[in-house]
Amino acid sequence: MDLQLLKKQLLQDLKNVSSAQDLQDLKVKYLGKKGEITLLSKNLGKLTQKERPKAGKSINELRVLFEIKSGSLLSKIEKNEIEESLEKDSIDISLPVNNLQNGSLHPITRTIDKICEFFSSRGYLIEDGPEIESEYYNFDALNIPKDHPARDMHDTFYVDVETLLRTHTSPVQIRAINKRSVPLKVICPGKVYRSDADQTHTPMFHQVEGLLIDEKVNFGNLKQELTDFLNFFFKKNLEVRFRPSYFPFTEPSAEVDIMDKKGWLEIMGCGMVHPNVLKEAGVDPNKYSGFAFGLGIERMAKLDYEMDDMRLLFENDVRLISQS
Ligand code: DAH
């Protein structure tokens, strides 16, 4: 082929190149084993002695031309490819992201923690007891014998004749005395169960029990401790009232009321531990005395979070439980 023509064709081919692959194909077309430039070189031998140097020089120039042009073309193509992929794969870090949903503590847990924080700071130990409880610990040991009318008030779920779901946290009082020795200061949070369901009652709810036994403990100590606690919990100086009441396991017994926006509100039961309870737990009532109290966690949470309906606490709506 005519060298001038070949050069023209080569330049045209280079113009049409748009990818590294095109360039590779061209390299084969011109410089491959059977490439056009290669063939020209091979045919040099057929030329006369005189024609050969000039033709050889021109073929070489064509090869160099191809290499220079294709080299610069390749770097241009590679640069474009990098830019293209940067554009395509780029991450727009200014885009808003969906926040990860963090877990949070349930208001009931927070309320238990807050109550325990106060009593722990006063040296109370946190004690635990079983939710499936014997009749003995739930009733008998707490001065509530079989025929006692207080048993009816508890709407008990029985597991079998002498086993039940504990109806209050008071049985942990006895377990704690049995496990440790007196003097003693314990606080016992946990779940309790009663066969009762309406706007203000759920079959499962939470209570915290408190018990202090020592020598010469009196009702004044109880009043002071619970008043301090309520002021700590509600973060203000509340009006607190101790109203005479009745519980089989305390004598005297009282109900604690606080002054709320709507008037007096019953908040917990308390009293001096009944001598029968101390005796049953192996404590000498002539040497030791004590006070006990029990409060409902849901009611405390409802007041603390200013909720209208206690049942919200059981629905596990994340909008509620993710609030701190
Ligand atoms: N156990 C009682 C209840 O569930 C609450 C209670 C009242 C606990 C007086 C006490 C107490 O320790 O002294 O209704």
Side-chain angles (χ1 to χ4, degrees):
M1 191 197 269
D2 179 78
L3 250 167
Q4 270 321 103
L5 214 65
L6 188 62
K7 187 176 171 185
K8 232 171 129 189
Q9 182 195 313
L10 186 149
L11 291 172
Q12 187 56 43
D13 278 350
L14 282 170
K15 259 189 209 155
N16 293 336
V17 163
S18 62
S19 69
Q21 185 56 49
D22 290 352
L23 208 57
Q24 184 57 31
D25 293 346
L26 272 197
K27 197 167 180 180
V28 173
K29 182 177 173 186
Y30 288 100
L31 298 177
K33 258 192 199 153
K34 291 178 186 164
E36 312 234 15
I37 297 176
T38 316
L39 285 180
L40 280 181
S41 304
K42 276 185 185 162
N43 288 338
L44 270 178
K46 290 180 188 160
L47 298 180
T48 63
Q49 195 85 9
K50 215 177 133 207
E51 289 168 322
R52 223 177 279 159
K54 198 177 162 223
K57 197 175 163 219
S58 306
I59 294 170
N60 229 12
E61 276 170 8
L62 199 58
R63 184 197 308 275
V64 171
L65 177 78
F66 179 81
E67 274 174 359
I68 291 174
K69 290 252 180 212
S70 67
S72 71
L73 210 55
L74 185 65
S75 60
K76 228 185 259 171
I77 289 170
E78 281 173 351
K79 207 174 140 211
N80 281 348
E81 279 175 357
I82 289 172
E83 262 163 27
E84 224 170 79
S85 87
L86 275 178
E87 200 144 299
K88 209 167 60 199
D89 303 335
S90 70
I91 300 166
D92 183 352
I93 55 164
S94 69
L95 278 177
V97 291
N98 289 333
N99 283 330
L100 289 177
Q101 269 220 322
N102 287 327
S104 54
L105 294 177
H106 193 280
I108 293 290
T109 310
R110 287 178 194 276
T111 307
I112 291 175
D113 288 351
K114 194 166 156 186
I115 295 170
C116 290
E117 182 194 335
F118 173 84
F119 286 104
S120 298
S121 78
R122 299 229 165 169
Y124 286 71
L125 298 174
I126 296 171
E127 196 57 75
D128 204 2
E131 287 168 31
I132 299 175
E133 186 54 285
S134 69
E135 242 188 345
Y136 172 76
Y137 282 110
N138 198 80
F139 292 128
D140 300 271
L142 289 165
N143 199 29
I144 317 173
K146 278 218 162 34
D147 52 358
H148 199 289
R151 286 211 182 188
D152 295 339
M153 285 156 49
H154 279 224
D155 298 312
T156 313
F157 284 116
Y158 276 87
V159 177
D160 59 41
V161 274
E162 39 187 46
T163 319
L164 43 81
L165 297 184
R166 68 177 178 194
T167 56
H168 53 173
T169 42
S170 302
V172 191
Q173 288 188 28
I174 312 297
R175 289 184 174 275
I177 301 172
N178 288 348
K179 184 171 149 193
R180 306 171 186 280
S181 55
V182 288
L184 173 85
K185 273 169 138 183
V186 287
I187 191 89
C188 327
K191 292 185 169 74
V192 300
Y193 302 84
R194 289 188 201 176
S195 173
D196 201 357
D198 60 31
Q199 198 163 3
T200 51
H201 296 91
T202 49
M204 185 281 292
F205 57 103
H206 297 78
Q207 287 188 337
V208 169
E209 192 79 16
L211 174 69
L212 181 149
I213 298 176
D214 209 334
E215 292 176 36
K216 301 192 181 82
V217 180
N218 60 45
F219 201 91
N221 303 135
L222 168 62
K223 275 184 82 173
Q224 183 68 58
E225 198 86 316
L226 293 185
T227 307
D228 287 351
F229 161 66
L230 290 170
N231 289 335
F232 163 86
F233 188 89
F234 293 108
K235 296 193 177 66
K236 55 184 172 206
N237 268 337
L238 288 168
E239 240 187 291
V240 180
R241 174 173 85 176
F242 286 75
R243 179 167 43 84
S245 185
Y246 171 77
F247 298 102
F249 33 90
T250 43
E251 180 59 35
S253 304
E255 211 90 55
V256 184
D257 300 337
I258 57 168
M259 183 55 99
D260 186 44
K261 282 172 222 138
K262 293 178 211 124
W264 288 108
L265 198 74
E266 188 183 308
I267 203 100
M268 64 172 122
C270 65
M272 301 306 293
V273 181
H274 197 291
N276 286 353
V277 174
L278 292 175
K279 260 188 262 170
E280 186 65 33
V283 177
D284 179 1
N286 294 316
K287 185 169 181 208
Y288 289 101
S289 54
F291 62 68
F293 51 89
L295 68 159
I297 307 285
E298 279 76 5
R299 163 141 337 154
M300 296 296 273
K302 182 176 173 238
L303 287 171
D304 202 16
Y305 289 84
E306 296 181 2
M307 295 168 62
D308 295 328
D309 190 342
M310 215 167 72
R311 285 173 298 187
L312 284 172
L313 290 168
F314 296 93
E315 283 166 7
N316 287 335
D317 185 330
V318 279
R319 290 171 302 177
L320 176 108
I321 57 181
S322 61
Q323 291 177 63
S324 48

